[in-house]
Amino acid sequence: MTMNKSKINQSSSRLLRTTDDDRPLTKDLKDLFSTLMVSLLPLGAHRVRFSRVDYTFLSEDAVHNLGNLKLLQSNSMPDPKDPTRTVISTSTTIFSMSKDMARSLCQRFLDARFLESADGKRDQVFQIKGSVWKLTSKGISILNWFCLSNGIEHDQLMELTGLITSPLVTLERDQETDKLFLDRSTIEVIFCRLVGTGGRGNKLPIGVTDSFQSRDFKILNGINITSERKLNGRLYHDTFTGQVAADWLMDFTTTMDIREAVEIASLFVHHDLVESVVQDRNYATQYPRCKLFQPTQNSVYTLSQRGQDLIENSSSGRCSSEGKGEGSFQHGSTSDSNGRRLDKILMDPTLRLLFRENLRDTHCEENLSFYQEVDEFIRQCKGAIRTLKQTDTASVDSAKELLSQSYLLFNTFLAPGSPRELNINHQLRKSFADRMTEAQAMDSSVAETLLQVTSLFEGAQNAVFKLMASDSVPKFIHNPKVEYRLVQAGVR
């Protein structure tokens, strides 16, 4: 850390975190991808065969830029010791890696469907030289979220966001393991999005099969379903192939690889939402994990009666016969009851998913993002404070890294004019600005500074909780699109 007359600089560098199966954590992978794309902007036009394709880039440029990436966030605030003086707080996150690691990460971007080959071929291998790539709708969505979160502006971003074909379904993950939360209720919500809640998806005309559907043909409201399909002398209604379902899960949800898509689709079968009509036995033998669901053109599935009933109930907003919570809703919503509702929402992955989408629709998703990120930050800080020893270099370095993270959070959500500035009390914001500025001088011990910063973030988190409970929860529980799920969960 350095400090001069008018600038505060904070740098942060960390190892790429991985899951138990050696996949980079979702957040790190998204951040790396987005930082790379920002470094490549503006994307130009490159020749592919006999034409030029707009908004594309070369493999060589991506691998070169990944070798040394920097992400900067800057905010201005008054100096607490001299109000006439402006202090610029800058947070810098540095990524560096070898060429082999860069190629491996680009392959991960391809596997996650952030990228696709500009020639339209389904390349499964990221070639390090000579290939031309473009962003998918999913990749543009990831990049757009990142730029909004970090206050990054570029003239081409508006052009790119115009290419987004459908909003992504943001799946909830365990913050420690990065595994998807796939309880039964969440699977049912994903299933409804995949099929489409307007009836039974988008029906293809009779006689038209899934070979008619390409990734470019996908419609916004779920997959295309073949009305009638004759197989082995028998007529089946409302069918689709495993490849169509897997492609939708990869393209329109925040799955990170085909294994996650297969896991979700297998649970569709397990929970009797779909039934197998034809299995791809060769694929299932080669990949034992795909016993229930095979993501291929040769496997065919049909909606079960239970799946059809679920779609009908969800689209009509009808509630189950249990009728939980109707009386409590009629008595009005006090702040305490909305606080209890919010506690339940935050503890339930399915409700969190739906609540996040509702917040996005009302343009205040940053409240939930801040609450969750700070929750993890506070947990780490308290653990570091308990184990911190001034004579232990490793524990001191860990505490300093957490202080660096606190500036990233501050510059993202709390500093005046920050890209995702929260609507919190003026006095709390001023206390934050004063303390974060003073902390740079390191007048106090690392432990004392971290303790004070943790206390401030706890206050801000509590303020945001109250804001969501009083403003966002009432709007959420009045939303007819989620009424069926809220009654099931006992929130209404």
Side-chain angles (χ1 to χ4, degrees):
M1 282 187 301
T2 61
M3 181 175 179
N4 60 31
K5 186 175 181 180
S6 59
K7 291 185 178 181
I8 296 173
N9 300 318
Q10 185 76 31
S11 295
S12 174
S13 182
R14 67 170 186 266
L15 294 173
L16 183 66
R17 299 170 297 174
T18 59
T19 61
D20 292 341
D21 56 357
D22 292 326
R23 177 179 61 78
L25 289 189
T26 299
K27 184 179 186 306
D28 288 0
L29 192 69
K30 289 179 179 178
D31 286 352
L32 277 167
F33 166 76
S34 300
T35 306
L36 169 63
M37 289 301 109
V38 170
S39 76
L40 292 171
L41 292 178
L43 299 176
H46 292 84
R47 183 165 294 281
V48 179
R49 295 178 184 171
F50 303 109
S51 61
R52 293 178 69 81
V53 181
D54 292 330
Y55 309 119
T56 54
F57 61 93
L58 300 175
S59 296
E60 295 90 332
D61 293 335
V63 171
H64 175 268
N65 285 19
L66 269 176
N68 188 19
L69 287 175
K70 290 184 178 180
L71 172 65
L72 294 106
Q73 290 177 295
S74 296
N75 289 97
S76 300
M77 67 189 83
D79 187 335
K81 296 181 179 179
D82 182 1
T84 64
R85 178 174 174 261
T86 298
V87 177
I88 300 175
S89 171
T90 302
S91 303
T92 306
T93 305
I94 302 169
F95 306 92
S96 60
M97 64 194 72
S98 66
K99 180 179 281 191
D100 287 342
M101 174 60 77
R103 194 212 68 81
S104 177
L105 278 172
C106 286
Q107 182 65 50
R108 295 284 187 181
F109 301 153
L110 185 60
D111 292 342
R113 300 276 177 94
F114 296 166
L115 307 174
E116 62 185 354
S117 175
D119 63 7
K121 291 184 178 180
R122 281 179 169 267
D123 283 1
Q124 298 301 315
V125 178
F126 185 89
Q127 302 294 339
I128 203 166
K129 289 184 179 179
S131 295
V132 182
W133 305 93
K134 64 180 181 179
L135 296 172
T136 62
S137 174
K138 180 177 182 176
I140 296 172
S141 294
I142 298 295
L143 173 62
N144 187 45
W145 289 346
F146 179 84
C147 291
L148 289 174
S149 299
N150 293 282
I152 297 171
E153 297 180 355
H154 193 283
D155 292 341
Q156 197 178 67
L157 283 173
M158 185 66 71
E159 300 172 32
L160 290 173
T161 54
L163 302 176
I164 295 175
T165 59
S166 178
L168 282 180
V169 178
T170 304
L171 305 178
E172 296 291 318
R173 293 179 180 271
D174 185 288
Q175 291 187 339
E176 293 188 20
T177 66
D178 202 46
K179 293 185 182 301
L180 290 170
F181 284 116
L182 295 177
D183 59 294
R184 184 168 184 155
S185 295
T186 299
I187 289 298
E188 290 180 354
V189 169
I190 300 171
F191 171 75
C192 289
R193 302 296 167 76
L194 174 129
V195 175
T197 56
R200 293 182 191 171
N202 306 288
K203 298 292 187 67
L204 290 178
I206 294 174
V208 178
T209 63
D210 300 272
S211 60
F212 176 67
Q213 175 174 321
S214 68
R215 289 175 67 189
D216 293 332
F217 183 75
K218 280 194 173 64
I219 301 175
L220 306 187
N221 191 29
I223 61 173
N224 292 321
I225 292 177
T226 303
S227 298
E228 295 183 357
R229 187 192 305 255
K230 197 169 185 178
L231 294 167
N232 301 323
R234 182 178 172 184
L235 188 65
Y236 293 91
H237 297 277
D238 299 335
T239 60
F240 55 91
T241 66
Q243 181 178 323
V244 165
D247 282 346
W248 188 92
L249 289 167
M250 286 299 304
D251 291 336
F252 297 117
T253 74
T254 52
T255 49
M256 289 295 107
D257 56 34
I258 190 63
R259 291 175 298 179
E260 291 188 338
V262 168
E263 182 182 9
I264 293 169
S266 296
L267 289 170
F268 293 160
V269 180
H270 177 75
H271 292 307
D272 191 30
L273 300 173
V274 303
E275 298 170 351
S276 175
V277 174
V278 176
Q279 286 192 326
D280 188 337
R281 298 187 184 281
N282 290 334
Y283 191 92
T285 300
Q286 186 177 359
Y287 301 99
R289 285 185 174 184
C290 300
K291 182 179 179 181
L292 288 180
F293 178 88
Q294 301 87 49
T296 69
Q297 190 67 25
N298 296 326
S299 61
V300 180
Y301 301 86
T302 184
L303 302 182
S304 69
Q305 186 59 52
R306 184 177 183 279
Q308 294 175 28
D309 292 342
L310 178 65
I311 292 297
E312 185 177 351
N313 287 336
S314 296
S315 60
S316 66
R318 288 188 302 178
C319 305
S320 66
S321 58
E322 297 174 11
K324 300 178 185 177
E326 186 175 343
S328 63
F329 184 74
Q330 290 176 344
H331 285 94
S333 300
T334 65
S335 58
D336 287 343
S337 63
N338 282 334
R340 288 194 295 271
R341 286 187 174 109
L342 182 55
D343 275 327
K344 192 161 189 173
I345 290 167
L346 295 174
M347 293 292 290
D348 187 309
T350 308
L351 295 181
R352 268 204 318 273
L353 185 159
L354 297 171
F355 187 54
R356 184 186 300 279
E357 292 180 342
N358 195 75
L359 290 174
R360 189 177 301 154
D361 290 342
T362 55
H363 307 291
C364 53
E365 185 190 358
E366 65 276 2
N367 291 333
L368 181 58
S369 297
F370 174 78
Y371 186 91
Q372 289 185 299
E373 289 187 38
V374 167
D375 202 54
E376 175 65 12
F377 171 75
I378 291 172
R379 186 187 66 79
Q380 292 179 357
C381 285
K382 289 182 176 180
I385 291 168
R386 283 195 302 269
T387 59
L388 181 60
K389 297 178 181 178
Q390 296 296 337
T391 56
D392 182 1
T393 303
S395 65
V396 171
D397 288 345
S398 177
K400 288 181 177 179
E401 179 62 30
L402 285 170
L403 285 175
S404 296
Q405 290 182 32
S406 74
Y407 282 89
L408 288 174
L409 288 169
F410 175 74
N411 283 336
T412 300
F413 294 101
L414 298 165
S418 55
R420 306 184 77 181
E421 186 175 355
L422 301 175
N423 182 21
I424 61 172
N425 179 276
H426 171 73
Q427 186 55 47
L428 179 60
R429 190 188 305 280
K430 184 177 184 304
S431 297
F432 248 108
D434 293 351
R435 190 65 193 89
M436 299 300 281
T437 306
E438 292 168 0
Q440 295 286 340
M442 285 297 184
D443 295 331
S444 308
S445 68
V446 174
E448 184 180 347
T449 301
L450 188 59
L451 187 63
Q452 293 175 351
V453 167
T454 302
S455 177
L456 283 172
F457 273 105
E458 285 181 318
Q461 187 189 39
N462 186 51
V464 169
F465 180 92
K466 291 179 178 178
L467 178 63
M468 289 193 293
S470 63
D471 182 65
S472 300
V473 169
K475 295 175 182 176
F476 181 55
I477 62 177
H478 277 87
N479 187 343
K481 294 180 181 179
V482 296
E483 178 186 1
Y484 175 74
R485 193 61 57 187
L486 293 177
V487 170
Q488 277 195 328
V491 177
R492 278 197 60 172

